[in-house]
Amino acid sequence: MRLLHNSLPVLLTLAALASVSAQQPTATIYRATERRVNDLVHTKLDLQFDYKKRYAYGKEWLTLKPHAHPTDSLRLDAKGMDIQTVALMSNGTAQPLKFSYNDERNLRVNLGKKMPPALITPFTLSTQLSPTKPR
């Protein structure tokens, strides 16, 4: 009994060392973030719901600024939306912008000119969203 009592700490230490050395070293995987083109500064939503049709009608105001480099375009994740208008807000007036939404996933907006990184730019979007629409 005394032998077991004296050898117990040694056995526990050996078992711990064996389990540590038996573990495989984990591979370090580099997971880069997506390239940031614009920073989202502020979002405001105005939503109205049609519960019978299961639609959400909305207007969105986004305030963006280029992240590090001047940019003349904008890409937004807009999966499953019907986009009616996209406009650049300037002195309280909406200036319509050209946009494409061909793949029904990404809204691509042409800003018409290069926006410098320091310029904070407000946009407005009119949208319709249907959760029953196939995506």
Side-chain angles (χ1 to χ4, degrees), residues 7-123:
S7 62
L8 188 60
V10 173
L11 289 174
L12 289 175
T13 303
L14 288 174
L17 288 174
S19 71
V20 169
S21 65
Q23 292 178 355
Q24 297 293 325
T26 57
T28 304
I29 299 172
Y30 176 71
R31 297 175 192 219
T33 60
E34 284 192 39
R35 184 174 158 250
R36 288 176 62 183
V37 178
N38 294 296
D39 291 327
L40 180 63
V41 177
H42 184 73
T43 304
K44 178 182 168 185
L45 299 174
D46 177 19
L47 294 172
Q48 290 142 7
F49 299 97
D50 185 338
Y51 293 105
K52 287 184 181 179
K53 291 182 181 178
R54 298 184 68 189
Y55 279 173
Y57 301 96
K59 195 166 190 179
E60 303 157 35
W61 291 267
L62 302 174
T63 305
L64 302 167
K65 80 174 192 173
H67 180 66
H69 303 286
T71 185
D72 62 352
S73 62
L74 169 66
R75 186 196 66 81
L76 297 172
D77 180 8
K79 183 178 176 183
M81 293 185 180
D82 293 324
I83 310 293
Q84 276 83 40
T85 62
V86 178
L88 176 66
M89 299 302 294
S90 179
N91 298 326
T93 58
Q95 300 171 352
L97 295 172
K98 293 180 182 178
F99 66 92
S100 66
Y101 187 56
N102 299 333
D103 62 359
E104 294 190 359
R105 291 180 176 265
N106 295 294
L107 174 64
R108 298 181 190 284
V109 180
N110 182 351
L111 301 176
K113 62 180 179 179
K114 285 232 184 235
M115 301 289 184
L119 183 65
I120 295 177
T121 310
F123 294 92

